[in-house]
Amino acid sequence: MLVYLGKRLVYTIPIVIGVSVVCFGLVHIAPGDPLVSVLPPDASEELKMQMMRAYGFDRPYYEQFLLWCWRALQGDLGVSIATGRSVASEVLRAVKNTLLLSFVATLIGFFFGLLFGFVAGYFRNSPIDKIASILSVIGVSVPHYWLGMVLVIIFSVQLNWLPPTGAGPGGSADWQPDWAHFRHLILPAITMSVIPMGIVARTIRALVADILSQDFVPALRAKGLSELGIFGHVVKNAAPTALAVMGLQLGYLLGGSILIETVFSWPGTGFLLNAAIFQRDLPLLQGTILVLALFFVLLNLIVDVIQTAIDPRIQRS
Amino acid sequence: MTSVASLLPQDPAKTVAPIERSPGYWSGVGKRFRNDKLAIAAGILVLLLILMAIFAPLIAPMDPYAGRTIRRLRPVGTDGFPLGTDELGRDMLSRLIYGARYSLMMGVTPVLMAFGVGSLIGIIAGYVGGKTNTVMMRTIDVFYAFPSVLLAVALSGALGAGIQNALVSLTVVFIPPIARVAEAVTTQVRNRDYVEAARASGANALTIIRVHVLGNVLGPIFVYATGLISVSMILASGLSFLGLGVRPPEPEWGLMLNTLRTAIYNQPLVAALPGVMIFITSISFNVLADGLRNAMDVKV
């Protein structure tokens, strides 16, 4: 186990370096001057050079990259060009909201995904299976930003039950565990939960059907084990895969929340990305994407390790 | 010379029965697909959507760009505007029909391009193996380490809004998964006996890839890629929804959904229509891809 852990850690290092290179490269694939949004259009060449030097854009790429990495390791992701505030603090504040939203969405999606998946896998080709399968196809095919709009139309515009936008009353961006804030969480979390629900239901259905077709199930039944006992064995066999899917889904939601956050004006990383893109605030874009991508890598690592701890037969290379 | 066989009692059934050609792989695939009614329905829907996109100028009742503020945001069922009008008074029905052109193009093109590039990368990595494989696949892993939506948004955000940039970003997003599948399938095929036999009889790498590998790997890779079209449709329209893809005033479903967001209080039904189109398209491609996968008996 320890050897595996070490190997897995070593394997993660090149990925982390690669991800950093890609994030760093984003600024340099961007057309035009990275300072275009701060400089007045009639800026003199001298002022331009001065700003280039101040931001370090005049040095060779590898030097800029190493400097950027060195600073990032110390928690300094640079300064937002548009607001002049530190990127790290902006991202940190936003990431909390995105984490909350994605986590709740994953829980909801996982609960229903497991339910549908188990029922469908157990009663294969029954009407329940058909319904569960249709629901999971809908879950993976629905454009979730549109689903968000539809939910807003129904529950905010028509019924006036829930607030359509924001994370709290009066546009508060700091989430608190009270009813006023919770009401703001319901619609975006449900919208977001549809994605993992469909995928989890699909995966679990195939998995349960596969486990039930294995030889040990009739053996257990012949031994006289109750259906509940057999169900326990199925759960035990399905757990590592289910866990892996859940971890990956949480990561996808964290990274993919931008569309839903835009629909609901949720003050998270997606909102930040949106602002960064349209104000051409490249350090902010770079920093936010780096943090989200590293989160995803870390999550993958944790999932792999936990999975191996549960079931030592799975040792992914 | 008397052979041993002729001394044995003859089995009449064996000698009489004519040599029957066993049904081929593709006839089995066709048979399985024909039995899948849901997949056929989805296939017909996809075909209709494509026809709608091609013949948009003939079908659309009005000019999708011509608007008048005087008739903005009419409800569904208005005389002359069966699906209402948008926030600039343009005919929704015509815009939805024309929208199929942009949305289908934006959704399908990246998967096709990624199918080409990803297959090439995966087949080379899988066939050559060794260090080349490690270098190529570890590079692919880096892009795989980004959640797909994030990578698409990051790339098109950095490159700037526009159709071309969105297409490039989406292609980059779909190359890693396709390359991974291609690599896995190719590695399997490469170790088969017939490849070894071909190599032993002196065939060079290109011939082996062309004759023995391609025919066996392209099918599974293609089936996997069709499964990505549905995701690509949602992502492409999502980029336009964020303002990163197709620019106004072009009719594209994701962009229409975005510009109509302000109308959810006055005309909720009209505002939701473009999303219905995205949903129908995406689910049709999804069901069709599932049907293909089952019919071709591919596990990827």
Side-chain angles (χ1 to χ4, degrees):
Chain A
M1 183 67 208
L2 268 180
V3 175
Y4 173 73
L5 194 68
K7 265 195 206 155
R8 191 63 183 77
L9 273 175
V10 170
Y11 170 75
T12 308
I13 293 170
I15 298 280
V16 169
I17 295 175
V19 164
S20 317
V21 171
V22 172
C23 290
F24 175 77
L26 281 178
V27 169
H28 299 281
I29 61 165
D33 204 327
L35 290 172
V36 74
S37 55
V38 272
L39 285 171
D42 57 343
S44 66
E45 275 305 306
E46 202 183 325
L47 181 65
K48 256 188 203 161
M49 284 312 291
Q50 212 179 331
M51 288 297 275
M52 292 280 267
R53 256 197 301 280
Y55 279 95
F57 286 133
D58 58 336
R59 301 180 194 215
Y61 285 153
Y62 72 92
E63 234 176 81
Q64 285 188 45
F65 175 66
L66 289 177
L67 194 68
W68 180 70
C69 284
W70 174 243
R71 285 194 183 140
L73 278 174
Q74 292 162 319
D76 174 12
L77 291 173
V79 176
S80 157
I81 290 182
T83 63
R85 276 183 288 198
S86 123
V87 170
S89 69
E90 299 242 344
V91 174
L92 207 66
R93 191 143 39 105
V95 125
K96 268 189 279 181
N97 286 325
T98 301
L99 256 178
L100 173 81
L101 181 60
S102 323
F103 195 69
V104 175
T106 310
L107 285 185
I108 302 174
F110 214 67
F111 176 77
F112 287 104
L114 276 183
L115 190 73
F116 292 145
F118 264 109
V119 171
Y122 245 86
F123 304 101
R124 252 197 133 159
N125 298 324
S126 68
I128 305 177
D129 178 25
K130 293 265 154 60
I131 294 170
S133 298
I134 290 170
L135 278 177
S136 75
V137 174
I138 290 176
V140 288
S141 313
V142 70
H144 44 280
Y145 37 96
W146 170 73
L147 182 69
M149 268 175 74
V150 171
L151 290 182
V152 166
I153 288 172
I154 297 172
F155 293 101
S156 308
V157 178
Q158 305 286 335
L159 297 170
N160 206 7
W161 286 355
L162 293 164
T165 55
S172 110
D174 289 309
W175 206 78
Q176 264 130 37
D178 57 24
W179 175 238
H181 284 81
F182 184 72
R183 289 183 49 198
H184 281 82
L185 184 61
I186 297 174
L187 285 185
I190 289 178
T191 308
M192 213 187 217
S193 72
V194 170
I195 309 166
M197 189 193 76
I199 292 168
V200 169
R202 259 186 181 199
T203 316
I204 296 296
R205 175 182 181 267
L207 197 64
V208 168
D210 182 49
I211 293 169
L212 285 175
S213 71
Q214 280 176 31
D215 289 341
F216 75 87
V217 177
L220 287 175
R221 220 167 253 148
K223 204 185 75 177
L225 192 68
S226 69
E227 277 305 311
L228 199 69
I230 291 172
F231 181 72
H233 277 275
V234 172
V235 170
K236 210 169 114 190
N237 275 283
T241 311
L243 195 88
V245 176
M246 181 168 171
L248 285 182
Q249 286 307 311
L250 178 61
Y252 281 125
L253 292 190
L254 271 176
S257 63
I258 177 164
L259 285 159
I260 286 173
E261 289 186 12
T262 307
V263 172
F264 290 99
S265 307
W266 185 264
T269 46
F271 212 57
L272 209 59
L273 273 181
N274 219 337
I277 288 167
F278 289 103
Q279 295 164 348
R280 301 228 39 90
D281 190 342
L282 292 169
L284 188 61
L285 182 73
Q286 210 175 29
T288 315
I289 288 167
L290 180 72
V291 169
L292 288 175
L294 289 185
F295 242 117
F296 192 56
V297 173
L298 183 73
L299 216 59
N300 263 316
L301 178 68
I302 295 172
V303 164
D304 266 11
V305 171
I306 296 180
Q307 219 185 350
T308 318
I310 299 179
D311 188 348
R313 284 174 305 178
I314 314 163
Q315 288 207 348
R316 287 207 261 166
S317 53
Chain B
M1 203 170 86
T2 333
S3 76
V4 183
S6 64
L7 294 175
L8 293 170
Q10 293 277 322
D11 178 356
K14 242 183 208 160
T15 46
V16 173
I19 305 154
E20 218 175 285
R21 227 176 137 232
S22 66
Y25 170 69
W26 287 106
S27 85
V29 170
K31 207 188 228 165
R32 277 192 294 269
F33 192 77
R34 274 195 297 278
N35 285 333
D36 193 344
K37 292 203 183 61
L38 206 60
I40 289 180
I44 291 173
L45 258 177
V46 167
L47 208 66
L48 285 178
L49 284 164
I50 293 172
L51 289 177
M52 184 170 99
I54 295 174
F55 296 108
L58 299 177
I59 313 166
M62 296 182 79
D63 178 357
Y65 299 97
R68 271 210 224 121
T69 31
I70 206 167
R71 53 164 204 237
R72 56 193 292 272
L73 288 177
R74 293 285 168 80
V76 171
T78 308
D79 240 3
F81 305 101
L83 294 179
T85 60
D86 73 355
E87 78 286 353
L88 295 174
R90 296 171 293 197
D91 179 40
M92 275 302 279
L93 177 62
S94 305
R95 283 183 75 73
L96 288 174
I97 291 173
Y98 268 90
R101 295 189 146 189
Y102 281 98
S103 299
L104 281 178
M105 187 271 284
M106 297 285 295
V108 176
T109 317
V111 177
L112 281 181
M113 293 201 288
F115 174 65
V117 181
S119 304
L120 190 71
I121 295 176
I123 291 173
I124 292 176
Y127 187 77
V128 178
K131 283 216 175 76
T132 317
N133 178 305
T134 314
V135 170
M136 288 175 94
M137 294 323 284
R138 288 301 88 85
T139 313
I140 289 290
D141 279 355
V142 168
F143 287 90
Y144 209 69
F146 288 88
S148 47
V149 182
L150 185 68
L151 189 58
V153 169
L155 287 174
S156 51
L159 288 170
I163 295 180
Q164 243 177 29
N165 290 344
L167 287 178
V168 169
S169 318
L170 287 169
T171 306
V172 173
V173 167
F174 291 119
I175 288 174
I178 292 179
R180 272 194 162 189
V181 170
E183 191 257 355
V185 184
T186 309
T187 309
Q188 267 174 27
V189 171
R190 189 181 77 124
N191 296 327
R192 294 275 165 78
D193 290 343
Y194 55 78
V195 174
E196 193 51 50
R199 199 176 295 132
S201 57
N204 64 13
L206 266 180
T207 314
I208 296 178
I209 290 186
R210 192 165 49 83
V211 179
H212 299 287
V213 177
L214 278 187
N216 286 305
V217 300
L218 282 186
I221 306 173
F222 179 76
V223 167
Y224 178 76
T226 44
L228 292 176
I229 294 180
S230 146
V231 185
S232 177
M233 287 290 311
I234 296 179
L235 266 184
S237 294
L239 285 182
S240 297
F241 180 77
L242 289 173
L244 285 173
V246 178
R247 317 296 320 264
E250 304 306 331
E252 195 277 342
W253 297 332
L255 181 65
M256 289 165 73
L257 205 56
N258 184 23
T259 54
L260 280 164
R261 265 169 69 203
T262 44
I264 56 170
Y265 290 94
N266 319 331
Q267 293 298 345
L269 197 58
V270 173
L273 279 175
V276 177
M277 296 305 293
I278 305 174
F279 189 21
I280 292 175
T281 315
S282 148
I283 206 167
S284 305
F285 272 114
N286 222 331
V287 174
L288 181 64
D290 271 1
L292 271 184
R293 180 181 326 217
N294 290 336
M296 289 174 70
D297 195 21
V298 174
K299 289 184 187 76
V300 276

